[in-house]
Amino acid sequence: MTYLRSPGLQAPWPFILQCLLVLSGFAAYETTWAASDKPAFDIAAIERPRIMEKATKYLREEPVTVTASHCERSAGGKHDFFSEGDYWWADPKDPNGPYIQRDGMSNPDNFVEHRHAMIRLSEIVGTMASAYVLTGDDKYVRHAVKHLNAWFVDPETKMNPKSDYSRSETNRLPVLRTATGKQISGLSRCLELHV
């Protein structure tokens, strides 16, 4: 099996490349167009300047994972993704009681650093995959792998593979918060790729 040759990265090349291509929405095969079958516009040509500008910026970005910040309200540890439900607030009538829901009103005091880091990861990986498809330059794959390695492999910076704390909605202070049944929605950023 071929491996990327980069310090600290031991990612299987075919697997990572295939994941990046699939996640970015590009097929891993070439289509040949007959003259009459050519599309009316070339989406790659249209998107290339925007994608390459973002790729140039993101090549300078170092990984930022869940270990870069921690919320004192989380019952999880340094490697656990934690997120508080957007519309949950401390009850002004009972500050030590359960949180109350205010539909449509995001609580600006909720912990969102892990969510922002996950969004950033999805933007960087999606952009690197798209830049690779457009250019064929391995540096984009290597940079995406660097971020994926930090998030999911490196023991110092990786996120635990569980969602126990990913969608906390209620609180009884000073008891630490754990997630509810809506854990998957708290980690939905793992499934999105922004390009």
Side-chain angles (χ1 to χ4, degrees), residues 75-158:
K78 170 181 171 181
H79 297 276
D80 291 310
F81 182 95
F82 179 71
S83 175
E84 295 177 300
D86 283 337
Y87 308 131
W88 292 87
W89 297 68
D91 185 348
K93 296 176 184 170
D94 185 7
N96 293 323
Y99 271 34
I100 59 172
Q101 188 174 21
R102 294 184 180 170
D103 195 26
M105 296 178 62
S106 291
N107 185 340
D109 296 326
N110 279 351
F111 183 81
V112 295
E113 283 80 358
H114 290 172
R115 251 191 276 175
H116 290 168
M118 183 70 70
I119 291 167
R120 180 180 179 271
L121 170 69
S122 69
E123 290 175 350
I124 290 172
V125 170
T127 301
M128 293 296 106
S130 297
Y132 173 77
V133 168
L134 291 172
T135 67
D137 191 332
D138 291 350
K139 72 181 176 184
Y140 299 111
V141 174
R142 287 192 302 273
H143 196 68
V145 169
K146 178 181 179 178
H147 285 265
L148 294 169
N149 185 58
W151 268 89
F152 303 110
V153 179
D154 185 332
E156 293 297 315
T157 59
K158 72 178 181 178

Side-chain angles (χ1 to χ4, degrees), residues 7-112:
L9 298 179
Q10 290 295 310
W13 168 260
F15 173 75
I16 294 296
L17 179 59
Q18 184 178 19
C19 287
L20 292 174
L21 291 171
V22 169
L23 290 173
S24 68
F26 290 100
Y29 60 87
E30 291 183 18
T31 303
T32 52
W33 298 93
S36 61
D37 293 338
K38 285 190 178 178
F41 60 92
D42 183 351
I43 191 68
I46 293 168
E47 287 294 314
R48 185 183 185 96
R50 183 182 68 83
I51 290 169
M52 297 313 297
E53 180 180 343
K54 286 175 61 176
T56 299
K57 173 189 172 212
Y58 289 148
L59 280 172
R60 296 187 297 267
E61 302 279 332
E62 291 298 318
V64 176
T65 73
V66 295
T67 60
S69 58
H70 183 73
C71 179
E72 68 280 353
R73 294 183 298 276
S74 172
K78 170 181 171 181
H79 297 276
D80 291 310
F81 182 95
F82 179 71
S83 175
E84 295 177 300
D86 283 337
Y87 308 131
W88 292 87
W89 297 68
D91 185 348
K93 296 176 184 170
D94 185 7
N96 293 323
Y99 271 34
I100 59 172
Q101 188 174 21
R102 294 184 180 170
D103 195 26
M105 296 178 62
S106 291
N107 185 340
D109 296 326
N110 279 351
F111 183 81
V112 295

